[in-house]
Amino acid sequence: MTTTFRDDEPLPGAPDSGEGAGRGPSFLDIAVAAADRHGVCVRPVILQQTDTVTGGKSFVPVPCGATRESVCGPCARKNKALRQAQCREGWHLTEEPVTSRAAPSNDQEELLEMRADLLAEMTLAREDGRPPEKAARDIADCTAEIAWLDTQLAALGMRGTTPAVTDATAVDTEESDGSATPVRRRSTRRRQDAPDLPRHTVSERTVGREFGGWYSSMFVTLTMPSYGAVFGDGAARNPEKYDYRAAAWDAIVCARLFSRWIQNLRRAVGWNVQYFAVVEPQKRGAPHLHIALRGHLSRAVLHQVNEATYHQVWWPPAAEMRYPGTEAPVWDPGRETFVDPRTRKPLTGWDEGLDEIGPDDAPAHTARFGPRIDIQGIAAGSKNVSEAIGYLCKYLTKSVTEVLQAKTARAHDHYDRLHVALCSTPCGPRCGIWLLYGIVPKGATAKTVAGVCKSRAHRRETLALPGNRVLTSERWTGKTVGDHKAERLEFVRQRLAAVGIDKHPHRYTWATIAPGTRMPSRAQLLMAAIAERITWRGEYDRAMLAADPPPELDSPATHTPANGELSNGY
C-alpha cells in the first residue's frame, strides 16, 4: 500500500505544529549545537599536530579566536571572559603593577650589529663614487638583507618596529639648490574657545589613594555632541538638518579624541591615570565610551577636562568635493601620480596639501565630546564592581549591526545616511577618498582607486567604530591579553600536575596542511573536540577537588540515623 504525503504536511513522528515542525536538524547542526554547549569552537582551523615524543601525526582543530558570537559563540565568550578578568584585575589595584620585560639576548644583539654594518655599507655605496648601477644593486642587496634581519628580530621576540631603512642615514636637510628644507610646524597654543586646564608634571604613580576610608575607582561614560534631534529609535527627526557630516568626522577621530582626553586628565591630576575603555554605538549611531579609571578622581576635575578637551585634524581641506560625479582622477604612469581627467594636470600631493595650510587657516575638523558625562564612584569589593564590569563588557561579543538593529524604516534610512557620509569622509592620509577632493593620498599607486577605501571606517557594519573596541592603558595590569591567557593556562597546568596529569605544552608542534590533503569532515573534528573537552573537564574537576576537597560528612559516632537509615550510613 502506498501512502502519499502532501508538501505542507509534517512527516510521520514529527511534531504537528510549533517550532519543531518540518525537517529535522542535520548531523552537522547537532554537532555544532553540542560543541557550543560544551564550549568547543564551532569554526576550528585544522592543523597537523606532531608528537615530538612518539612521532605520531594527527589533524587537530584549533580555536578560531573569533570575538563575535555570530561567528563563533564559544570563542567569543572566552574572549569576553578574558577581558572581564583583565578589567577586574586592574581596576582596584593598590600596588604598582610589575611590567616584566626580557633582557635583550645575545642573538638579538648580534642581529642588530649585522644590521648596523649593512646600514654603513649602504651609506658607503651612496657616497664612495662607485658606478650608479653597481651602487643601486648593492643598496638593493643591503635592503633585502636588512628586511630579513628585521624578520628574525621580530621572531626572537622584539617589540615594536625597526627604523625605516630610507631614513636611517638621512642627515641632509638642504635642497639641491642649497636652500634649507622647510620644516612643517603647528602651533601648540590652545584654542581661545577652550577653557584652560591645570598643568602638573605627571608622576609615575598609577594607583589611587584611599578616600573617606574607602579605596574606590571611577566609572565614567563619555558621549559625542548632539547633531540634531532624534526619535527614541535613534533616527533623526529632521534628516535634512541633522549634521551627518560632523557625525562622520567625530566617529572617525573618536579614538584620537579619547587619547587627548586621557592626556589632559593626567596633566590635570598630576599622576599616570590608567584606564580600561570600551567603545560602543548609541542608537543614533554615534560612538560613546564606557571607561573604568583606576583611583578616585574629583568629579569637578573630570567635568573640567571634558569641557576643555578637543582634537584638531590638520589635514588638507575636505569641505567641497571636486569630483562628485562619475568623472574621477586617473593615474598617469609617466608622472607616477594622479591627474585631472580633463586638463591632465597633476593633482595636489599630500605633502603639498599640508604645506598649503597656513597659520591662519582652520583645521579640517575639530572634535569634542558632548557636555553630557556620567560619573560614578565604585568602591573596591562592593557588588557594584561586578555589575559595572558586566555593563562594560556587555556588547563585546556583538557587532555594531547586531547592537544597532533598525526596526523602523526611518532608522534604516538614518543609518544609510550616516554610511553615505562616512563613505565621503577621508579616514586617514592614505585613504583613497582624498582623490575625490583633488588630493593625492600618501603612498598612492596605480592600484589606488578614487573614492574607494577598504578601511573599517567606511563599512556599513562598523559605522567607523574601531576594530579593537577595548582600549586599555599599558600599565592597567602590566600585562597583555596574551599574558592573561597564558596565566590562566599555567594555572590549569599546575592544578593538573598536582594530581599527576602532565600537559606539557612543548611536547607537540603544529604545522599548516598542504593543499590537496584529505582531511576529516567538520562534524568528525567537532565530535573529537567534544570528547576531548569532556575528558579535560573531568580531569580539571578531579584536580580542583584534590586541591580543595569538600567538607567531610558527619562522623558515624555523632550522626543520628534518620527513619529507615541503617546505623552504618546506608
Side-chain angles (χ1 to χ4, degrees):
M1 180 179 180
T2 303
T3 304
T4 303
F5 297 99
R6 298 183 180 275
D7 292 341
D8 57 351
E9 291 182 355
L11 297 175
D16 294 337
S17 61
E19 296 181 357
R23 300 178 62 184
S26 65
F27 187 84
L28 179 59
D29 294 335
I30 300 174
V32 169
D36 186 85
R37 182 166 59 87
H38 286 280
V40 174
C41 175
V42 299
R43 296 174 58 90
V45 178
I46 305 176
L47 297 179
Q48 187 179 43
Q49 177 180 275
T50 303
D51 192 330
T52 58
V53 177
T54 64
K57 296 183 178 181
S58 60
F59 295 113
V60 294
V62 179
C64 64
T67 58
R68 299 291 174 261
E69 196 167 8
S70 58
V71 178
C72 180
C75 289
R77 290 191 291 270
K78 290 177 184 177
N79 178 74
K80 179 180 177 179
L82 199 62
R83 287 295 191 180
Q84 288 177 327
Q86 182 186 23
C87 180
R88 183 178 293 105
E89 181 177 335
W91 201 353
H92 293 90
L93 282 179
T94 57
E95 298 180 357
E96 294 290 344
V98 178
T99 303
S100 59
R101 291 184 180 177
S105 63
N106 294 332
D107 293 338
Q108 292 173 333
E109 293 181 5
E110 291 177 0
L111 291 176
L112 184 64
E113 293 172 0
M114 295 172 60
R115 194 180 194 275
D117 293 339
L118 289 171
L119 287 175
E121 178 63 26
M122 290 179 63
T123 304
L124 185 63
R126 294 190 182 100
E127 300 175 354
D128 63 357
R130 65 185 69 179
E133 295 182 358
K134 186 176 186 306
R137 186 168 56 253
D138 294 342
I139 292 174
D141 293 340
C142 291
T143 303
E145 290 290 335
I146 290 175
W148 180 83
L149 290 175
D150 292 345
T151 303
Q152 297 303 311
L153 284 171
L156 291 175
M158 182 197 68
R159 298 175 65 247
T161 57
T162 55
V165 176
T166 54
D167 298 334
T169 58
V171 295
D172 188 9
T173 60
E174 294 187 355
E175 298 287 353
S176 58
D177 58 357
S179 60
T181 304
V183 179
R184 191 184 304 115
R185 290 188 174 92
R186 299 283 175 234
S187 175
T188 58
R189 182 177 298 178
R190 291 185 58 80
R191 294 175 60 96
Q192 297 298 320
D193 56 353
D196 293 330
L197 280 173
R199 190 182 182 94
H200 302 288
T201 302
V202 180
S203 66
E204 292 297 324
R205 179 171 67 91
T206 67
V207 296
R209 296 172 180 171
E210 288 187 356
F211 182 79
W214 294 89
Y215 188 88
S216 63
S217 294
M218 310 304 293
F219 182 52
V220 180
T221 300
L222 301 177
T223 59
M224 305 307 295
S226 174
Y227 310 111
V230 296
F231 292 102
D233 58 358
R237 290 183 176 271
N238 189 344
E240 302 301 327
K241 294 184 177 181
Y242 192 87
D243 197 349
Y244 288 100
R245 182 72 169 173
W249 272 108
D250 285 349
I252 288 174
V253 301
C254 177
R256 300 185 185 98
L257 178 62
F258 172 67
S259 178
R260 184 57 57 88
W261 190 89
I262 289 294
Q263 182 185 44
N264 290 340
L265 177 63
R266 289 170 174 171
R267 291 175 177 175
V269 300
W271 54 283
N272 194 4
V273 181
Q274 300 298 297
Y275 62 88
F276 180 97
V278 178
V279 186
E280 299 293 350
Q282 292 180 301
K283 286 185 178 181
R284 56 176 177 159
H288 71 301
L289 296 100
H290 300 298
I291 314 163
L293 299 172
R294 185 191 301 159
H296 176 79
L297 299 169
S298 169
R299 283 173 166 80
V301 171
L302 290 172
H303 280 285
Q304 189 179 6
V305 169
N306 191 64
E307 294 174 1
T309 298
Y310 61 89
H311 175 70
Q312 298 183 125
V313 183
W314 289 105
W315 290 344
E320 183 178 356
M321 189 176 294
R322 288 181 54 183
Y323 304 97
T326 57
E327 286 188 342
V330 295
W331 177 260
D332 188 342
R335 302 176 182 178
E336 294 187 349
T337 186
F338 280 88
V339 297
D340 186 274
R342 294 184 177 180
T343 64
R344 312 300 294 183
K345 292 183 178 180
L347 301 183
T348 303
W350 177 257
D351 291 333
E352 297 174 0
L354 294 180
D355 293 336
E356 292 177 357
I357 302 175
D360 298 330
D361 293 337
H365 180 69
T366 301
R368 288 185 173 91
F369 285 115
R372 182 179 179 181
I373 176 174
D374 183 73
I375 305 172
Q376 301 179 33
I378 307 294
S382 64
K383 66 177 183 179
N384 295 333
V385 175
S386 298
E387 295 177 355
I389 293 175
Y391 188 76
L392 266 169
C393 305
K394 182 178 181 181
Y395 295 113
L396 283 186
T397 61
K398 297 184 180 296
S399 63
V400 175
T401 52
E402 291 173 335
V403 177
L404 300 178
Q405 292 183 353
K407 299 181 180 179
T408 60
R410 64 189 182 192
H412 280 286
D413 179 69
H414 176 74
Y415 297 146
D416 291 340
R417 287 173 178 264
L418 179 58
H419 180 230
V420 170
L422 288 169
C423 290
S424 61
T425 305
C427 64
R430 299 181 180 274
C431 182
I433 296 177
W434 280 113
L435 289 171
L436 302 181
Y437 294 91
I439 303 294
V440 180
K442 189 175 182 179
T445 63
K447 296 181 179 180
T448 305
V449 181
V452 177
C453 180
K454 297 181 180 180
S455 172
R456 293 177 55 91
H458 311 292
R459 299 178 187 176
R460 175 62 174 82
E461 61 270 18
T462 59
L463 293 179
L465 263 72
N468 184 12
R469 284 157 55 184
V470 179
L471 310 175
T472 58
S473 53
E474 184 178 2
R475 299 181 63 185
W476 177 255
T477 59
K479 295 173 285 190
T480 63
V481 177
D483 295 335
H484 285 279
K485 184 177 180 180
E487 280 188 353
R488 295 161 71 94
L489 292 175
E490 185 61 27
F491 172 81
V492 174
R493 290 194 188 101
Q494 292 178 1
R495 288 301 177 98
L496 294 176
V499 294
I501 302 175
D502 183 20
K503 296 289 184 181
H504 201 283
H506 303 295
R507 177 175 176 176
Y508 302 97
T509 60
W510 294 268
T512 57
I513 300 175
T517 305
R518 294 179 60 87
M519 296 179 295
S521 65
R522 181 185 174 193
Q524 291 175 318
L525 290 171
L526 291 180
M527 286 190 298
I530 291 171
E532 188 177 43
R533 180 57 56 89
I534 293 175
T535 303
W536 287 353
R537 172 57 62 182
E539 294 174 346
Y540 181 73
D541 291 342
R542 181 155 56 93
M544 294 300 293
L545 288 175
D548 188 15
E552 296 182 0
L553 299 175
D554 296 335
S555 61
T558 59
H559 179 69
T560 303
N563 293 335
E565 184 181 5
L566 300 178
S567 59
N568 59 0
Y570 291 98

